[in-house]
Amino acid sequence: MGSVIVVGGGPIGLASAMLLAREGHDVTVLEKDPQGPPATALEAWRDWQRTGVAQFRQAHAMHARFRHLLDAEFPDIRDDIVASGGRRVSIMTGFLNQLEDRSPRPGDEKFETITARRPVVESAFARAAENTPGVKVIRGVSVAGPIAGKEIAAGIPHVVGVRTKDGRDYAGDLVVDALGRKSEFDDWAVGLGGGHRSRRNQTSVSRTTRVITNAVTVSSPSCGARPSRSKPRSKRSACLPTTKRGSSRSSACPATNR
Ligand SMILES: Cc1cc2nc3c(=O)[nH]c(=O)nc-3n(C[C@H](O)[C@H](O)[C@H](O)COP(=O)(O)OP(=O)(O)OC[C@H]3O[C@@H](n4cnc5c(N)ncnc54)[C@H](O)[C@@H]3O)c2cc1C
């Protein structure tokens, strides 16, 4: 079996690492942000510094397919999310409310998902990864780019590992790009003489999330929402279940219209 370097320790990097380790590979996850997952859902929301993920404290809702994958591959993570206050919800509930005949039909259960705040979901993945034999998560390591080895196929760079910004090398038979939407891997591949640069477009949309708990109002540190506002910023806002103690409200509006 091989050695794998996963670059990026968000949910996708951690899930990839666990699945690859189950296949018998020796997996190292390199994550830029130094802090590991806090013990509780509240601490994960309030204290977890994740500057590598701009949307970390924006409201997230997970699709039903996410729950299907948890059931099949990560029931322990599913149970951890629920134990941390995640909710089971179904988009069918909203649809059925608009109909006279609301009787359930076979297959409705397919639309049920499990959702929680992003820090809660990610901390469940991070805890599971830490307890997975064959997975080593190294935090506080910023990758500067891939290392090219001897060419195997003409015109296709052969990546044999990565170099960190402080000059350390990590060798791997396989390098997985899990750097999320701001990944520089396509630029790095072009730098090595292969691949294509991806096109990025500005959407000119800005998002804010506001979290309301039973006892106090907590503003998202990353979006600057003010605790004193009693109404959401936009009519296009959505109320999403988060923990047993609160809910979050998210809105998106053109950046020029804030
Ligand atoms: C405003 C907003 C709202 C969203 N809402 C939803 C939603 O409701 N539901 C949903 O399913 N999805 C939602 N998404 C998408 C979701 O957030 C992403 O799909 C998810 O974050 C992807 O996870 P990932 O692990 O691939 O990447 P990320 O979560 O971006 O993780 C990438 C990791 O790489 C690390 N990293 C970065 N550079 C380096 C480096 N040089 N070296 C080492 N590590 C590095 C970062 O610190 C980070 O931990 C939303 C996205 C945005 C922007």
Side-chain angles (χ1 to χ4, degrees), residues 18-51:
M18 288 184 272
L19 292 171
L20 285 161
R22 274 185 213 166
E23 302 283 323
H25 302 293
D26 190 13
V27 189
T28 303
V29 180
L30 302 177
E31 166 54 44
K32 178 168 80 167
D33 287 345
Q35 200 184 341
T40 68
L42 183 61
E43 286 166 345
W45 166 260
R46 201 185 50 195
D47 303 331
W48 199 1
Q49 299 304 312
R50 292 287 281 116
T51 53

Side-chain angles (χ1 to χ4, degrees), residues 13 23 46 87 97 99 107 139 175 227 237:
E23 302 283 323
R46 201 185 50 195
R87 299 262 180 90
N97 284 343
L99 302 174
R139 298 183 182 272
V175 173
S237 63

Side-chain angles (χ1 to χ4, degrees), residues 63-92:
H63 288 287
R65 177 80 178 130
F66 172 71
R67 195 264 305 164
H68 297 178
L69 288 170
L70 291 185
D71 285 347
E73 303 289 351
F74 299 112
D76 50 332
I77 295 179
R78 175 200 61 202
D79 296 344
D80 190 353
I81 294 171
V82 172
S84 303
R87 299 262 180 90
R88 287 179 183 275
V89 289
S90 173
I91 56 164
M92 289 306 287

Side-chain angles (χ1 to χ4, degrees), residues 8 10-12 31-32 50 52 55 60-61 118 141 143 178-180 207:
I12 304 304
E31 166 54 44
K32 178 168 80 167
R50 292 287 281 116
Q55 72 272 24
H60 276 58
R118 154 89 194 227
V141 175
V143 169
L179 286 175
R207 278 178 181 266

Side-chain angles (χ1 to χ4, degrees), residues 212-217 244-247:
I212 302 146
T213 66
N214 291 344
V216 287
T217 301
K244 280 171 188 157
R245 294 189 60 236
S247 66

